[in-house]
Amino acid sequence: MSRIAKIQQEILALPEVEYKQLRKWFSELDWEKWDQEIKDDSESGKLDFLIAEAHEEKKKGTLKDL
C-alpha cells in the first residue's frame, strides 16, 4: 500500500471533529502557499503586466471602479 493510500485510510478513520480540524488546517496551508506564490510572482515582476494593463485601461477611461 502506498504512503498516500495509508494517509487516506487514516483520514477516513478520523472522528468528525478531527476531520474538520484537518480540513481547516489543510485549507489554511493552501492559502498560505497561494499567498506566498503571489508575493513571489509580484516581487519577481511576473505580475507587472497586470499593472500595465490597468494603467492602459485608466488612460482609455475604461477602468472600472470596484
Side-chain angles (χ1 to χ4, degrees), residues 4 9 15-17 19-20 26-27 29-30 34-35 37 41 43-44 46-48 52-53 57 60-61 64-65:
I4 291 176
Q9 280 185 338
E16 187 67 22
V17 171
Y19 176 73
K20 287 179 181 181
F26 205 72
S27 176
L29 179 63
D30 277 347
W34 174 252
D35 287 345
E37 189 176 329
D41 287 350
E43 290 173 354
S44 72
K46 287 183 180 178
L47 302 179
D48 289 353
E53 284 181 19
E57 295 299 318
K60 291 180 192 175
K64 297 179 183 176
D65 291 331

Side-chain angles (χ1 to χ4, degrees), residues 21-58:
Q21 290 172 340
L22 180 63
R23 277 189 15 220
K24 183 176 185 274
W25 173 82
F26 205 72
S27 176
E28 289 170 356
L29 179 63
D30 277 347
W31 281 111
E32 287 173 18
K33 287 180 180 261
W34 174 252
D35 287 345
Q36 187 61 50
E37 189 176 329
I38 293 292
K39 181 181 176 198
D40 293 346
D41 287 350
S42 178
E43 290 173 354
S44 72
K46 287 183 180 178
L47 302 179
D48 289 353
F49 75 97
L50 294 172
I51 296 169
E53 284 181 19
H55 285 294
E56 187 61 32
E57 295 299 318
K58 187 174 182 180

